[in-house]
């Protein structure tokens, strides 16, 4: 009995106390638990899952071909590859990444790109190069990873009754302010921004981004910009990268991923851009370039993305790969259009879904987001994600994802219209 034995030792290793501050039930496990309980009680119900943000379409053939060809190379002594000595990505992938960024208005050098196995880990790991007493601002609602990883790092106080952590600065982002959060009242050190946004589906305008870059320049803050959904922007004039904003190179880090844009959630490839002029102060007040710190961190704790996966990611930029990936993006965005139009027709107020694969449904007055989640599951057999799971300001909203097969999306919309009109 482990418990009995451990009680007999006088001293014992101690856990990171910050983990004890984490909220017990992470959003998606709770959603999963409720769905499993419903499915067990109603075995004949055909449940349609528009909850978790994961892609459903398979990798397009040009990408699979690149993956296979690279796997074959690994089986021959002439073409076998071991460690990537540089650890931050091969040129055959970094070159098209940089060309792509430049085509979107970002002036980026090749050695400012760090290829990784995911933006979830990059947005989480980046805070390791900042002091623990930095003040962090997040939007509310927010992608939970930014909050939970800062809790783990000890950068927050305890969680209050409203689900908010002490010391974190929350920026309400709701229909009332047009999903354009106001600047913090005082100064903050680090600001996480995600555009197009998960979960609200809103996209930041050039003017909004300029406002944040100006704030960061004035206050010596750093913007951690998550552009995981940039490829879903369909309307012209919205920046795809924060580096399209003059002055952003001195104040921002950008995270990008092939996960949602190219169906790589199970293949794993992403990249982070850190401009060389971006600095923060050390304990003596001297300015230190963050590029060097991240390079040190990345090459110390990471040995690079697998060679076949980097080849697959490079194929995303080939003419055939790019065309196939865009066809998939169009498919998801047509799903989003169907959800938006269907639910608006059923009397709901809907946000998002134009430049992002998420629809942010405003619930009828007085209806809680978990309450609506349960009703949607019980009556329409459709799974959404309760807005409250993304923060206090997500209460009264539900997120629906456009990542689904067309027939399921159409059926889900029909069921909501007939069983749960707004
Ligand atoms: C899905 C997602 C990512 C991408 O994560 P990966 O680890 O690259 O799969 C990053 N940020 C947000 C907000 C996301 O929703």
């Amino acid at each position: 009995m482990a418990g009995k034995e451990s009680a007999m030792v006088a001293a014992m290793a101690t856990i990171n106390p910050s983990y004890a501050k984490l909220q017990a039930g992470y959003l998606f496990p709770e959603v999963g638990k409720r769905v499993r309980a419903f499915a067990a009680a109603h075995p004949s119900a055909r449940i349609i899952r528009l909850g978790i943000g994961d892609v459903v379409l398979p990798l397009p053939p040009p990408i699979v071909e690149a993956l296979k060809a690279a796997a074959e190379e690994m089986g021959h002594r002439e073409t076998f590859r071991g460690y990537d000595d540089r650890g931050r990505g091969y040129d055959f992938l970094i070159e098209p990444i940089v060309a792509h960024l430049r085509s979107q208005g970002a002036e980026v050098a090749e050695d400012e790109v760090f290829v990784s196995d995911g933006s979830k880990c990059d947005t989480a790991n980046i805070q390791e190069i900042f002091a623990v007493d930095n003040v962090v601002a997040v939007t509310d609602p927010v992608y939970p990873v930014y909050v939970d990883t800062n809790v783990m790092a000890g950068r927050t106080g305890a969680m209050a009754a409203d689900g908010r952590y002490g010391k974190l600065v929350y920026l309400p982002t709701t229909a009332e302010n047009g999903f354009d959060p106001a600047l913090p009242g005082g100064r903050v050190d680090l600001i996480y921004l995600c555009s197009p946004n998960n979960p609200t589906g809103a996209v930041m305008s050039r003017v909004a981004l300029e406002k944040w870059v100006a704030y960061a320049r004035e206050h010596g803050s750093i913007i951690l910009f998550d552009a995981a959904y940039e490829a879903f922007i369909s309307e012209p004039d919205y920046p795809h990268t924060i580096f399209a904003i003059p002055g952003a190179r001195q104040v921002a880090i950008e995270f990008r991923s092939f996960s949602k844009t190219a169906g790589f959630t199970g293949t794993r490839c992403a990249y982070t851009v850190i401009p060389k002029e971006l600095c923060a102060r050390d304990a003596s007040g001297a300015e230190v370039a963050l590029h060097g710190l991240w390079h040190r961190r990345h090459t110390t704790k990471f040995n690079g993305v697998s060679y076949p996966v980097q080849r697959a990611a490079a194929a995303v930029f080939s003419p055939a790969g790019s065309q196939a990936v865009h066809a998939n993006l169009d498919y998801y965005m047509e799903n989003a259009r169907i959800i938006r139009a269907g639910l608006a027709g059923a009397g709901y107020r809907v946000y998002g879904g134009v430049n992002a694969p998420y629809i942010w449904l405003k619930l009828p007055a007085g209806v809680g987001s978990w309450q609506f989640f349960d009703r949607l599951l019980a009556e329409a057999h459709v799974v959404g994600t309760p807005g409250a799971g993304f923060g206090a300001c997500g209460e009264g909203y539900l997120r629906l994802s456009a990542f689904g097969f067309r027939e399921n999306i159409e059926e889900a919309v029909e069921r909501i219209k007939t069983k749960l009109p707004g």
Side-chain angles (χ1 to χ4, degrees):
M1 297 283 286
K4 235 179 182 173
E5 281 166 35
S6 62
M8 299 189 341
V9 283
M12 191 180 252
T14 51
I15 65 157
N16 174 348
S18 297
Y19 276 61
K21 291 180 190 160
L22 289 169
Q23 200 181 359
Y26 181 66
L27 174 61
F28 293 108
E30 178 60 27
V31 167
K33 206 173 88 185
R34 294 191 191 202
V35 174
R36 279 191 304 276
F38 180 82
H42 305 86
S44 65
R46 204 177 75 76
I47 297 173
I48 299 178
R49 290 177 169 76
L50 301 181
I52 296 181
D54 194 0
V55 295
V56 297
L57 295 174
L59 290 176
I63 294 169
V64 175
E65 287 314 315
L67 197 53
K68 283 189 192 165
E72 186 60 35
E73 284 180 55
M74 296 299 268
H76 301 275
R77 79 162 60 187
E78 298 75 20
T79 48
F80 169 78
R81 309 238 184 172
Y83 288 125
D84 163 12
D85 321 322
R86 249 177 14 190
R88 59 173 183 79
Y90 289 107
D91 286 334
F92 66 72
L93 174 57
I94 291 186
E95 282 164 13
I97 284 174
V98 167
H100 179 61
L101 283 162
R102 288 186 180 153
S103 76
Q104 296 180 329
E107 205 32 70
V108 165
E110 279 162 13
D111 60 358
E112 293 174 330
V113 175
F114 295 87
V115 174
S116 77
D117 59 351
S119 281
K120 184 188 218 177
C121 27
D122 285 352
T123 55
N125 290 331
I126 194 72
Q127 27 117 11
E128 186 181 322
I129 63 172
F130 296 100
V132 75
D133 60 359
N134 276 316
V135 174
V136 178
V138 293
T139 60
D140 180 3
V142 67
Y143 179 52
V145 174
Y146 314 150
V147 172
D148 288 359
T149 57
N150 276 286
V151 174
M152 291 171 174
R155 212 168 268 117
T156 72
M159 193 180 78
D162 61 359
R164 288 182 164 188
Y165 289 95
K167 265 194 75 183
L168 274 190
V169 174
Y170 291 87
L171 309 166
T173 310
T174 59
E176 286 69 38
N177 61 22
F179 301 99
D180 179 14
L183 296 169
R187 79 166 290 285
V188 299
D189 297 295
L190 306 175
I191 304 152
Y192 283 91
L193 295 177
C194 176
S195 177
N197 192 264
N198 175 11
T200 69
V203 62
M204 295 178 79
S205 68
R206 183 172 295 273
V207 169
L209 287 175
E210 283 169 355
K211 176 182 84 173
W212 282 101
V213 167
Y215 171 91
R217 292 178 67 92
E218 186 185 332
H219 292 85
S221 317
I222 287 167
I223 297 170
L224 303 171
F225 190 74
D226 186 344
Y229 296 94
E230 63 82 15
F232 293 87
I233 295 176
S234 68
E235 293 181 305
D237 304 333
Y238 287 103
H240 286 241
T241 162
I242 195 160
F243 299 122
I245 307 300
R249 283 181 57 86
Q250 286 81 29
V251 293
I253 292 174
E254 182 161 306
F255 304 93
R256 291 199 163 203
S257 174
F258 293 93
S259 282
K260 316 298 166 37
T261 58
F264 271 52
T265 51
T267 306
R268 312 301 309 141
C269 197
Y271 53 99
T272 290
V273 180
I274 308 198
K276 279 188 230 106
E277 52 265 57
L278 178 66
C279 289
R281 287 192 204 285
D282 69 12
S284 74
E287 290 196 358
V288 177
L290 294 176
H291 182 274
L293 294 189
W294 184 249
H295 185 267
R296 186 79 169 86
R297 191 259 165 220
H298 197 69
T299 52
T300 301
K301 294 198 174 183
F302 189 62
N303 254 333
V305 173
S306 88
Y307 171 71
V309 167
Q310 291 197 55
R311 282 287 182 197
V316 169
F317 298 105
S318 69
S322 166
Q323 197 183 8
V325 161
H326 279 95
N328 287 357
L329 293 171
D330 290 345
Y331 179 94
Y332 292 131
M333 292 314 285
E334 174 62 9
N335 286 349
R337 194 197 60 75
I338 291 167
I339 298 173
R340 267 185 71 91
L343 297 190
Y348 287 98
R349 272 167 61 204
V350 287
Y351 300 97
V354 178
N355 296 296
Y358 298 116
I359 287 83
W360 192 236
L361 188 63
K362 177 93 178 97
L363 305 178
V367 179
S369 61
W370 280 105
Q371 186 190 359
F372 191 83
F373 167 90
D374 287 333
R375 222 189 263 175
L376 188 65
L377 179 60
E379 291 172 35
H381 306 168
V382 171
V383 181
T385 311
F390 298 100
C393 293
E395 184 51 274
Y397 294 88
L398 183 105
R399 190 191 75 177
L400 291 173
S401 158
F403 293 127
F405 295 115
R406 181 67 43 80
E407 57 277 20
N408 290 339
I409 298 283
E410 284 169 343
E411 189 175 337
V413 168
E414 279 314 307
R415 289 188 198 165
I416 297 171
K417 273 183 176 169
T418 49
K419 310 266 184 184
L420 270 179

